[in-house]
Amino acid sequence: MLSALYRRAGAKEAWSTLNGNLRDALEWWASLLKNPEMCFSRTVGARQRPPVRYIIYTDASEIGLAGILCDEKGVAQEFFQEEVHDEGPNIALLEAEAVEMALWAWAQRLEGCQVLVVVDSTTVQGSMVKGASRMEAMNPRIHRLWFLAAQRRIELWFERVPSKLNPADPPSRRRPLTLDGAEGARRVRVRRF
């Protein structure tokens, strides 16, 4: 949420009116500051990943969205698999939606935990890490995700893997899970945003 403020502060993109991006950024910060219990301090090493309590794998395709919640050993606990009926979907937006859906689905369980989120999209990984995207339609998803993470004190770490190594790839294409513990994983219903 700082990117709009940085652009406003710079002479190159300084504007005198309140545009949508700046308004959204200011509203986000105002809501965060109104709830001081959500503001917490923590130290995260720039090159060091925190110890992981849970792993979330997410993926999207033209026909589906999927997410898998695993324990720290990589054993599947729960998963979701939802159909996509969008006309000409933007895969990057769907990938971001899958990440957001996963965090909302398991937020209560993940509260106060370190979570490794594995995606197979460099666009989504970079946007989630930065907290903003050049793709304006993705920004509300990113902002809601980080707001929820702050509320629940969830420490997120994003990694990217090739699609063929992403265990959420098969269920996003309406195929069965192929991960350790898949037979015992419980399917949960989630709603699309």
Side-chain angles (χ1 to χ4, degrees), residues 39 130 136:
C39 299
K130 277 191 324 191
E136 291 299 323

Side-chain angles (χ1 to χ4, degrees), residues 29 81 131 168:
W29 281 105
Q81 187 176 27

Side-chain angles (χ1 to χ4, degrees), residues 3 9 16 27 41 51 64 73 83 90 102-103 112-113 119 140 149 157 167 176 193:
S3 60
S16 58
E27 286 174 357
S41 63
K73 295 176 182 151
E83 291 185 15
N90 179 312
L103 198 65
C113 293
V119 298
W157 184 274
F193 292 92

